[in-house]
């Protein structure tokens, strides 16, 4: 018998289960990181633009760079969306990501029951806070220090992570699990097909933009702006008319730039270019 309004004690088995899940949670994090890294590579390789990430300036001369490193990547909000979506969809549908499933873990409510999509979304949107200030530091400290080993997202959503044996609600019916797995696999396959198509037909302008960012090819002299005309497609090649303006001399240049397809990795690469600039006007 309990007094109305009094807190209900958490079952000892469920409370201890969150502690037993800790080593497995680390293994699950490693596995999920591998999966997300693969998804990141596909996203960056399809939609990413090459950018200069660091450089070493010369100590003499005009202030150019003696060396620099580059990275092909999309803007961080898209990577964060991919990261949150991976966790939220799988935990909302199955109660576990790939890593948690391999580790024999489930995300549940505070009574050990399956969670729904709403709790999964709230739990994983809060990952954007759990990663602060760097390297999942806040989430890691809370997971180790709190009584039920909850990171910030768990506290917002009212969830915990426990071994499968600690579930208090019946598991998903086999037919429901199969139907959801087929749906996730079908959507994933469609997205991969879309990425493959975009990598061939939609990526060339992104490769050209990356060349401008890193001052490669015809952009080595420094370009303030450029425009591309309609592409001419060949077998494994694409040619764009291009008009651009040189930064130092403000000359206008026109010509053509051709890219060759070398498979999904490395994708489109520069083959040749032919341009002609207007006469240089001195002050």
């Amino acid at each position: 018998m309990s007094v109305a309004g009094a807190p209900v004690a958490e079952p000892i088995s469920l409370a201890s289960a969150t502690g037993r899940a800790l080593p497995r949670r680390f293994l699950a994090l490693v596995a999920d990181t591998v999966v997300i890294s693969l998804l990141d590579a596909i996203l960056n390789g399809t939609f990413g633009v090459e950018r200069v990430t660091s450089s070493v300036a010369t100590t003499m001369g005009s202030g150019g760079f003696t060396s620099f490193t580059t990275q092909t990547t999309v803007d961080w909000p898209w990577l964060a969306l991919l990261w949150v979506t991976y966790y939220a969809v799988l935990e909302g549908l199955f109660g576990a990501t790939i890593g948690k499933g391999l580790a024999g873990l489930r995300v549940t409510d505070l009574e050990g029951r399956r969670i729904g999509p709403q709790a999964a979304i709230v739990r994983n949107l809060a990952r954007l806070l759990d990663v602060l200030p760097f390297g999942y530091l806040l989430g890691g400290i809370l997971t180790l220090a709190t009584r039920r080993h909850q990171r910030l997202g768990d506290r917002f959503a009212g969830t915990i992570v426990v071994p499968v044996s600690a579930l208090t609600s019946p598991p998903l019916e086999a037919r429901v699990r199969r139907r959801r797995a087929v749906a996730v696999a079908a959507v994933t396959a469609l997205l991969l097909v879309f990425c493959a198509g975009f990598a061939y037909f939609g990526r060339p302008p992104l490769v050209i933009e990356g060349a401008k960012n890193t001052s490669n090819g015809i952009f080595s002299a420094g370009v303030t702006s450029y425009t591309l005309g309609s592409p001419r497609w060949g077998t494994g090649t694409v040619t764009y008319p291009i008009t651009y303006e040189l930064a130092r001399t403000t000359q206008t240049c026109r010509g053509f730039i051709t890219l060759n397809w070398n498979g999904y990795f490395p994708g489109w690469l520069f083959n040749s270019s032919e341009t002609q600039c207007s006469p240089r006007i001195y002050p």
Side-chain angles (χ1 to χ4, degrees):
M1 183 174 181
S2 61
V3 180
V8 178
E10 183 181 282
I12 296 177
S13 60
L14 191 59
S16 62
T18 59
R20 296 198 309 270
L22 277 180
R24 299 191 201 179
R25 290 180 72 172
F26 175 75
L27 296 177
L29 177 62
V30 171
D32 285 327
T33 300
V34 172
V35 175
I36 293 175
S37 296
L38 176 61
L39 296 176
D40 280 352
I42 294 172
L43 185 66
N44 288 329
T46 303
F47 305 101
V49 176
E50 189 175 15
R51 298 178 175 91
V52 174
T53 55
S54 63
S55 55
V56 179
T58 57
T59 56
M60 299 177 63
S62 61
F65 296 114
T66 56
S67 64
F68 59 87
T69 58
T70 64
Q71 183 178 9
T72 300
T73 183
V74 300
D75 293 331
W76 72 264
W78 294 106
L79 296 176
L81 178 62
L82 173 68
W83 182 44
V84 170
T85 300
Y86 168 80
Y87 279 98
V89 169
L90 294 184
E91 289 180 358
L93 292 177
F94 306 102
T97 59
I98 293 174
K100 289 185 179 70
L102 293 174
L105 299 175
R106 293 293 184 273
V107 181
T108 72
D109 66 11
L110 300 182
E111 297 180 2
R113 299 172 301 195
R114 292 196 306 270
I115 64 170
Q118 182 176 348
I121 292 172
V122 172
R123 179 180 195 271
N124 290 293
L125 279 176
R127 286 184 186 275
L128 302 176
L129 300 176
D130 279 312
V131 298
L132 298 176
F134 58 85
Y136 240 114
L137 185 61
L138 176 60
I141 291 174
L142 290 175
T143 300
L144 294 174
T146 55
R147 183 172 64 89
R148 290 179 292 199
H149 305 289
Q150 294 171 291
R151 59 176 181 79
L152 201 60
D154 288 314
R155 298 172 77 85
F156 287 161
T159 58
I160 53 178
V161 179
V162 298
V164 174
S165 58
L167 287 171
T168 60
S169 60
L172 280 175
E173 296 180 20
R175 62 182 181 82
V176 175
R177 179 176 292 274
R178 282 196 301 270
R179 187 167 64 244
R180 293 183 179 182
V182 169
V184 170
V187 171
T188 302
L190 288 174
L191 290 176
L192 290 176
V193 169
F194 174 78
C195 287
F198 186 91
Y200 188 85
F201 293 105
R203 182 157 177 75
L206 302 182
V207 175
I208 295 172
E209 176 68 14
K212 175 183 177 294
N213 293 340
T214 56
S215 299
N216 283 330
I218 64 173
F219 300 106
S220 59
V223 172
T224 55
S225 62
Y226 70 93
T227 57
L228 298 176
S230 300
R232 296 200 305 266
W233 294 91
T235 304
T237 65
V238 61
T239 300
Y240 284 88
I242 185 169
T243 303
Y244 59 92
E245 185 175 286
L246 296 179
R248 287 188 179 182
T249 62
T250 67
Q251 292 171 272
T252 298
C253 304
R254 294 180 175 84
F256 298 90
I257 186 168
T258 300
L259 285 72
N260 281 354
W261 176 253
N262 291 267
Y264 192 83
F265 291 106
W268 289 103
L269 297 176
F270 281 93
N271 177 34
S272 62
S273 59
E274 179 183 342
T275 59
Q276 184 174 1
C277 299
S278 60
R280 180 171 178 172
I281 302 176
Y282 292 89

